[in-house]
Amino acid sequence: MYLQDLRDDLVELDRQSLRRARRTLETPCGPHARVDGAPCLAFCSNDYLGLAGDPRLAEALAEGAARWGAGSGASHLVSGHYAAHDQLEAELAAWCGCDRSLSFSTGYMANLAAVSALAGRGDAIFADRLNHASLVDGALLSGATFKRYPHRDTAALEAALAASSARHKLIVSDTVFSMDGDVAPLPALLDLAERHDALLLLDDAHGLGVLGPEGAGALAHFGLRSERIVLVGTLGKAAGLAGAFVAGSQTVIEWLLQKARSYIFTTAAPPALAHALLCAVRLVRDADPARAQLAQLVARLREGLADVPWTLADSMTPIQPLITGSNDSALALASGLRERGIWVPAIRPPTVPRGSARLRISLSAAHTRADVDQLLAALGELAAAS
Ligand SMILES: *Cc1c(COP(=O)(O)O)cnc(C)c1O
């Protein structure tokens, strides 16, 4: 019985502490939220620069709606491509140091499009084992041979590239890993791409706005530029709004414009959003003080967590995972914090590998030092009780 099977599987999720539930926010995105009727201090979002609730962005959105109306009316290749989209694409390309960019409605769609349009039957995709789900889905959709290498293991990647006789080779990696906060060895990946005539697709969802001069992301952080790099950036995280883009050489972007199915067969994002995103890009580029504040908060948190009984991951980014191991221990720690008015999400499989459940603490420039100290005090109490 179909429906009974679904009910049984839901019960099984409960049994493994894997059933997820949403909580409902009653205030705009920010560290001090009201959630399910109670106030709380949140360390959950990817709003690293505190822009999601910034009144300047809300104003730009209203201004965009007044200028462009509500909807785009069609897909980009039919009649949904507006001057605001065009201007945004030019700004994004210039910011990231690429020839050209193509805007998408979400990062999930951008990754699906880029991976599946750049590789197909007869080609091979080489992917870090901890890559984001959207990159995995793109690879499965592409029909290419899909090889996953151990996390950040460039020797294993090199061996796999050397052993492959695929026509085209595409290396795919997150720049900053979303559940670990560590950074991929980009110079070594680019070197391998050059030596094996591969393209290198990098997902900078958590690097853009956070790393590099003007927050230009992981490429700027490492000072890398190459025709072989295809960069995916998202605009719903540090940029505080929604949307994404793929940036790269003229050739790659023109190819995606012709072939990327999740670009072609979907309604273009509202031009009002593109208008507001132009403002978001300016705010992110000018946010050096916020990035400095963020670096101080990261240092403070890591110093304060030196002695806890859980494993603090080796991360220099605002993503600071505290690995507890079992699903139950991660949930217990999250619920201990919740009783103390603090919200940190427990991340469990399949988002992370089995046995590595964790609290994913994420910091924002909108947090104060006092906020971080409050989290540290609560974790200290829970550590003493554990
Ligand atoms: C969030 C995320 C995405 C998806 O981006 P959306 O714009 O939220 O769809 C892609 N890759 C990584 C690494 C992410 O963390």
Side-chain angles (χ1 to χ4, degrees):
M1 273 283 297
Y2 205 151
L3 284 174
Q4 189 54 43
D5 288 344
L6 298 182
R7 285 189 279 270
D8 291 348
D9 288 351
L10 285 169
V11 169
E12 181 59 21
L13 285 178
D14 272 330
R15 215 184 50 71
Q16 296 179 25
S17 303
L18 286 176
R19 176 104 161 227
R20 290 133 183 260
R22 298 170 302 176
R23 298 180 68 189
T24 305
L25 286 102
E26 292 146 15
T27 46
C29 182
H32 297 274
R34 207 177 160 76
V35 181
D36 294 329
C40 80
L41 173 60
F43 294 89
C44 310
S45 81
N46 305 304
D47 178 28
Y48 302 120
L49 300 175
L51 290 176
D54 192 304
R56 290 170 295 179
L57 268 192
E59 214 170 281
L61 201 51
E63 189 184 276
R67 165 76 175 80
W68 293 104
S72 69
S75 63
H76 280 281
L77 291 180
V78 176
S79 65
H81 188 69
Y82 291 77
H85 295 118
D86 228 44
Q87 205 184 336
L88 176 65
E89 289 178 347
E91 291 278 333
L92 291 167
W95 185 28
C96 295
C98 294
D99 289 350
R100 189 176 170 193
S101 84
L102 195 64
S103 68
F104 284 80
S105 296
T106 73
Y108 188 96
M109 293 167 78
N111 278 339
L112 219 55
V115 176
S116 65
L118 290 173
R121 250 173 265 291
D123 301 333
I125 294 170
F126 302 84
D128 189 290
R129 195 165 282 286
L130 296 189
N131 277 352
H132 191 262
S134 54
L135 294 171
V136 177
D137 292 356
L140 296 176
L141 189 63
S142 73
T145 304
F146 184 33
K147 296 189 193 301
R148 302 174 83 179
Y149 57 88
H151 183 47
R152 298 176 77 240
D153 187 341
T154 49
L157 171 58
E158 173 148 42
L161 286 166
S164 168
S165 57
R167 187 171 54 128
H168 296 138
K169 300 172 189 175
L170 179 65
I171 304 170
V172 178
S173 182
D174 285 17
T175 57
V176 174
F177 289 87
S178 53
M179 296 301 139
D180 292 75
D182 56 347
V183 179
L186 298 195
L189 293 182
L190 181 57
D191 180 55
L192 286 175
E194 274 160 4
R195 287 197 281 120
H196 293 270
D197 189 25
L199 289 186
L200 175 60
L201 190 152
L202 296 171
D203 177 351
D204 207 21
H206 299 277
L208 193 76
V210 173
L211 299 178
E214 294 196 314
L219 295 186
H221 172 78
F222 285 105
L224 298 177
R225 242 179 214 245
S226 165
E227 278 205 323
R228 292 186 180 278
I229 295 176
V230 182
L231 182 76
V232 179
T234 64
L235 300 165
K237 289 170 177 157
L241 216 41
F245 63 96
V246 183
S249 67
Q250 289 287 356
T251 310
V252 162
I253 299 306
E254 182 61 21
W255 178 252
L256 294 183
L257 180 61
Q258 304 304 324
K259 295 290 179 184
R261 294 171 65 83
S262 59
Y263 181 78
I264 297 168
F265 298 107
T266 191
T267 300
L273 191 59
H275 177 92
L277 281 167
L278 282 163
C279 171
V281 171
R282 272 194 302 278
L283 294 177
V284 172
R285 294 181 79 157
D286 288 344
D288 280 341
R291 280 182 283 274
Q293 155 82 354
L294 200 46
Q296 281 182 5
L297 296 174
V298 169
R300 172 73 193 138
L301 180 78
R302 292 189 67 81
E303 181 190 303
L305 290 176
D307 297 324
V308 294
W310 312 287
T311 307
L312 179 62
D314 187 11
S315 160
M316 41 108 40
T317 66
I319 302 166
Q320 293 289 325
L322 205 50
I323 299 166
T324 63
S326 73
N327 298 339
D328 286 339
S329 61
L331 288 176
L333 196 53
S335 97
L337 288 173
R338 190 169 166 178
E339 282 160 17
R340 289 163 175 78
I342 298 177
W343 185 13
V344 181
I347 308 287
R348 290 158 282 165
T351 311
V352 294
R354 285 168 69 89
S356 73
R358 64 199 61 192
L359 288 190
R360 180 181 184 271
I361 302 169
S362 65
L363 294 170
S364 162
H367 286 118
T368 61
R369 189 181 160 109
D371 292 336
V372 171
D373 286 346
Q374 191 180 331
L375 172 62
L376 288 171
L379 284 169
E381 278 177 35
L382 292 161
S386 77

